[in-house]
């Protein structure tokens, strides 16, 4: 497989894969995977998911679609938001990464990236910083007394 496939220098098509029981969890996993890929300038060629973590990974329709895309060379890698979406432990995750590497791809765990969710305190602080930067002060006592 070429290092730089057609479509631009550094263009790396990847799949974002997740497996969770709720649509909210699937959405958050997709967001984290996309954020991780975007931070590396990878192109998200597709997003696949499964809603039954009890199935073995090879029996999941979404995972089968991911491996088919890898075999067809539509993608070069797979990004998961949490390693537990594809493996029960670190050894299984490593073994799955080796399997994908043998097929010409790679497996990336986005859980080490920054969190897609923020606490209410973090969201308020960001909002306050943006307000101050734009010149909009929400707290009148932040002005210095006697300043003109």
């Amino acid at each position: 497989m070429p290092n730089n496939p057609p479509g631009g220098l550094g263009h790396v098509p990847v799949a974002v894969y997740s497996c969770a029981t709720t649509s909210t969890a699937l959405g958050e996993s997709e967001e984290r995977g996309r954020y991780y890929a975007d931070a590396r300038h990878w192109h998200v060629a597709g997003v696949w998911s499964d809603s039954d973590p009890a199935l073995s990974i090879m029996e999941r329709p979404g995972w089968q679609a991911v491996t088919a895309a890898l075999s067809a060379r539509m993608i070069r890698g797979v990004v998961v938001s949490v390693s537990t979406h594809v493996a029960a432990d670190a050894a299984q995750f490593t073994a799955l990464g080796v399997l994908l590497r043998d097929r010409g791809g790679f497996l990336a765990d986005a859980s080490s990236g920054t969190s897609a969710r923020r606490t209410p305190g973090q969201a308020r602080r960001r909002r306050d910083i943006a307000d101050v930067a734009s010149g909009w002060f929400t707290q009148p006592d932040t002005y210095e007394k006697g300043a003109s």
Side-chain angles (χ1 to χ4, degrees), residues 30-50:
E30 178 184 342
E31 182 181 348
R32 181 185 295 269
R34 284 182 179 278
Y35 178 83
Y36 185 88
D38 288 344
R40 286 148 185 80
H41 304 288
W42 295 343
H43 168 69
V44 177
V47 176
W48 287 275
S49 63
D50 288 303

Side-chain angles (χ1 to χ4, degrees), residues 118-141:
R118 291 183 177 79
T119 66
Q122 290 171 324
R124 178 167 174 88
R125 176 153 170 76
R126 285 179 173 266
R127 189 172 49 250
D128 289 346
I129 290 170
D131 287 348
V132 169
S134 68
W136 178 262
F137 294 96
T138 58
Q139 300 170 344
D141 60 337

Side-chain angles (χ1 to χ4, degrees), residues 91-103 105-107:
Q92 283 183 354
F93 185 79
T94 301
L96 186 59
V98 169
L99 178 67
L100 291 180
R101 190 180 66 228
D102 290 346
R103 293 183 178 183
F106 64 89
L107 180 61

Side-chain angles (χ1 to χ4, degrees), residues 15-20 25-34 36 78-86 93 107-114 116:
V16 172
Y17 175 79
S18 57
C19 184
L26 288 172
E28 290 172 356
S29 294
E30 178 184 342
E31 182 181 348
R32 181 185 295 269
R34 284 182 179 278
Y36 185 88
V78 181
V79 176
V80 295
S81 65
V82 181
S83 63
T84 57
H85 285 215
V86 294
F93 185 79
L107 180 61
D109 177 4
S111 65
S112 62
T114 58

